[in-house]
Amino acid sequence: MGSQPRTLALAPDGRVWVVNKGGASISIVSPVTLAVVQTIALARASQPYGIVIASDGTAFVTHEATGRVQRIAAN
């Protein structure tokens, strides 16, 4: 898991997305194995905090440092 996990969201495929504020990343966790299966790097020092995932799998992440919302396309 990344540094300073803050919020999580459940994706339509059942995986859990965890926003890591300190590590500027998102850890995607398998609900079966509880292992991190993918890590998404975000802009350095962006301080990501909140996350929501739409029904089509598109994620929206808030960045505390910039006050912006980043859209991450569904895979």
Side-chain angles (χ1 to χ4, degrees), residues 21-22 24 42-48 65-66:
K21 181 178 177 183
L42 302 173
R44 185 172 181 230
S46 60
Q47 298 180 353
T66 63

Side-chain angles (χ1 to χ4, degrees), residues 18-61:
V18 182
V19 174
N20 305 303
K21 181 178 177 183
S25 66
I26 297 173
S27 299
I28 301 177
V29 179
S30 164
V32 175
T33 65
L34 301 180
V36 175
V37 295
Q38 184 179 354
T39 301
I40 299 172
L42 302 173
R44 185 172 181 230
S46 60
Q47 298 180 353
Y49 198 93
I51 185 169
V52 295
I53 301 177
S55 61
D56 69 355
T58 302
F60 298 89
V61 181

Side-chain angles (χ1 to χ4, degrees), residues 10-17 31:
L10 183 62
D13 65 3
R15 298 185 303 170
V16 179
W17 290 40

